[in-house]
Every structure is written in C-alpha cells, then in structure tokens.
Amino acid sequence: MASIIRNKISNAQAPAIAVTLKSYLTKGASINALAWAILGGKQFMSAVPTTILDYITATNKGIPKQAVHNLAEVIDVPMKDMATLLNVSYKTLGRKKKTDTLDSLSSSLSIEIANTVAKGLAVFEDMDKFSRWLQKENRALQGKKPFDLLNTPTGIKMVNKLLGRIEEGVYT
C-alpha cells in the first residue's frame, strides 16, 4: 500500500482510497481534505470538514473502526500497531465491528494521526518517502522514530512541528 501514491501504479490497480489521495495530492488539497480522505471520506463524515469544530463533533460522537482501518491501510501498519498507537488493547479493537465507534480519546488520536499523515504526505509528496521517514530514527527527536511518538498528543505535536520545519526547509 505504501507505494500506491506513486505514479507508477495505475488507477485500476490501486485501492479507492489510494486513488483519492493521489488525486487530492495532485490537486494540492488542504490538509483537512487529505485527513478526511485518509479516514474514509464520505464513509467517515458526510462532507469535508470545514473547521476543527467538525472534527470535535466527530470525536465526541466517536469515529467508526473503519476509519482506523483506513488510516492503518494508508500508513501500511497492522491493526495491532494501530491499537498500540491508540492506547487500546488489540483484542478490544479486534472485537469491534467496522461500524462500531471508538471512544472519544481514541477517536481524537485517530483524527490527529490522520492530520499528521496528511501533513506528511503534503510535505513529502510521496507515501514511500514519508513511510521511510516515519520509521527512521531522527536526530531532532533524540534518536526516536517519528512513528513511535504518534501515540500521545505531545508526540504528535512534536512530529507535526518537525514536518513543519522540513516544509520550511530547515535542516532537522
């Protein structure tokens, strides 16, 4: 799945979410729109959120497990790793149906991770490059992998800050 954003794979071969993300990236879509697409688009929320308040409403209602599954597919990690990122036991997450909703904390973390992934895709413009960066130890993070920090709001903030520095061309 990590290579689906690249131009080498035709639209017929790539899953729908990959085609959507590729389209959004080439059109220069907003981070908000990319995050919405990563979480499943209309299956996640009927329209692209226009403000952060739309995400807060979704968080309070709880997002469906399917949105987490979509996020895991995009960043190419198993659901076991997603459960760790969301601070939920793998068994609990596994028992949920795709339409079941997550609690507000797990929903919020999922949305924040999706926003970080969207920002990473916008910065790197290639899923493979972004995936490698997520899994590589980073000196600016004291040798930690950015992926390993995505399980807390503070870690997500640090990764976003680092992505912002890369976007601005600051050596990190």
Side-chain angles (χ1 to χ4, degrees), residues 16 18 22 24-25 28-30 41 52 57 61 83 86 89 95 99 103 110 118 121 127 142 152 154 164:
K22 184 177 177 181
Y24 276 47
L25 281 172
S30 70
I52 195 69
T57 301
K61 285 179 22 182
L86 300 177
S89 85
R95 279 193 295 265
T99 56
D103 62 53
S110 298
L121 286 174
M127 191 63 207
Q142 297 179 345
T152 66
T154 305

Side-chain angles (χ1 to χ4, degrees), residues 2 19 31 41 44 49 52 67 76 79 83 86 108 112-113 118 126 166:
V19 174
I31 301 299
F44 163 63
I52 195 69
D76 198 23
M79 287 300 282
L86 300 177
S108 180
E112 290 303 317
I113 293 168
D126 182 283
I166 293 168

Side-chain angles (χ1 to χ4, degrees), residues 3-172:
S3 63
I4 59 176
I5 305 300
R6 289 189 295 169
N7 293 329
K8 292 182 181 179
I9 296 182
S10 71
N11 289 353
Q13 294 173 311
I17 196 165
V19 174
T20 302
L21 289 176
K22 184 177 177 181
S23 169
Y24 276 47
L25 281 172
T26 56
K27 292 178 185 175
S30 70
I31 301 299
N32 231 12
L34 277 171
W36 176 75
I38 288 167
L39 291 168
K42 288 184 180 182
Q43 293 173 345
F44 163 63
M45 193 184 294
S46 60
V48 177
T50 55
T51 70
I52 195 69
L53 292 174
D54 294 333
Y55 280 123
I56 291 172
T57 301
T59 295
N60 291 335
K61 285 179 22 182
I63 67 168
K65 177 187 172 187
Q66 180 61 46
V68 174
H69 188 274
N70 293 339
L71 176 59
E73 187 176 327
V74 169
I75 60 176
D76 198 23
V77 298
M79 287 300 282
K80 186 173 186 174
D81 290 347
M82 285 305 299
T84 301
L85 286 180
L86 300 177
N87 299 305
V88 178
S89 85
Y90 177 61
K91 287 184 178 184
T92 299
L93 191 59
R95 279 193 295 265
K96 289 188 178 290
K97 297 176 191 165
K98 289 187 177 194
T99 56
D100 289 347
T101 57
L102 302 173
D103 62 53
S104 61
L105 179 59
S106 297
S107 296
S108 180
L109 281 170
S110 298
I111 289 169
E112 290 303 317
I113 293 168
N115 275 307
T116 300
V117 170
K119 183 169 183 141
L121 286 174
V123 169
F124 286 93
E125 298 178 349
D126 182 283
M127 191 63 207
D128 281 341
K129 288 179 185 175
F130 177 59
S131 291
R132 282 192 305 272
W133 180 82
L134 272 177
Q135 296 298 333
K136 187 177 178 185
E137 293 175 355
N138 192 304
R139 226 175 39 193
L141 300 173
Q142 297 179 345
K144 292 181 176 34
K145 298 175 186 176
F147 181 82
D148 294 338
L149 300 178
L150 296 177
N151 65 337
T152 66
T154 305
I156 292 169
K157 187 176 180 179
M158 288 178 69
V159 172
N160 280 324
K161 188 174 182 179
L162 192 54
L163 285 169
R165 290 174 54 106
I166 293 168
E167 185 176 37
E168 296 297 323
V170 176
Y171 178 73
T172 54

